[in-house]
Amino acid sequence: MAMCGGIGAETIAANEEVQGLVDQLKAEINAKCNKTFSTLTAISYKTQVVAGTNYFVKIKADEEHIHARIYHVPWQNSLELTAVAGGKTADDTIEFFD
């Protein structure tokens, strides 16, 4: 469970909801990475509860791994890609990043 203001300690296996967020932001993720990934598969994630939810998502992007920070406020219909960290591996821990 996410703690208000802090990133959750538990890494959760990605589900359809998180994959859907990644799918909606595919163009933005490609743009921030300056690449054109054909597939973006959410692997796992952590959350941070703020005035909405930050999702820190580990993503398999073709043959690479990246982490994406996604800010979601469902009651305002707001979804934003806040940051992407490249150069990750399948074994890298999901941590807070700007």
Side-chain angles (χ1 to χ4, degrees):
M1 168 165 274
M3 173 179 62
C4 188
I7 188 170
E10 180 183 5
T11 299
I12 304 163
N15 55 29
E16 287 182 20
E17 176 188 3
V18 173
Q19 182 63 52
L21 298 176
V22 171
D23 291 345
Q24 289 178 66
L25 294 168
K26 183 177 181 179
E28 289 90 338
I29 292 170
N30 280 333
K32 279 207 187 248
C33 291
N34 202 24
K35 296 187 177 187
T36 305
F37 297 115
S38 59
T39 59
L40 296 172
T41 306
I43 305 298
S44 57
Y45 69 100
K46 290 184 178 183
T47 59
Q48 177 188 34
V49 177
V50 288
T53 303
N54 279 319
Y55 290 85
F56 294 85
V57 187
K58 181 183 293 187
I59 300 170
K60 185 166 192 243
D62 294 339
E63 298 306 312
E64 300 178 38
H65 286 85
I66 61 174
H67 291 181
R69 181 176 169 186
I70 298 169
Y71 179 59
H72 188 216
V73 186
W75 60 90
Q76 292 182 346
N77 229 6
S78 174
L79 182 63
E80 176 185 353
L81 178 65
T82 307
V84 175
K88 300 294 183 177
T89 69
D91 297 325
D92 283 342
T93 303
I94 301 170
E95 298 176 340
F96 180 91
F97 67 96
D98 286 323

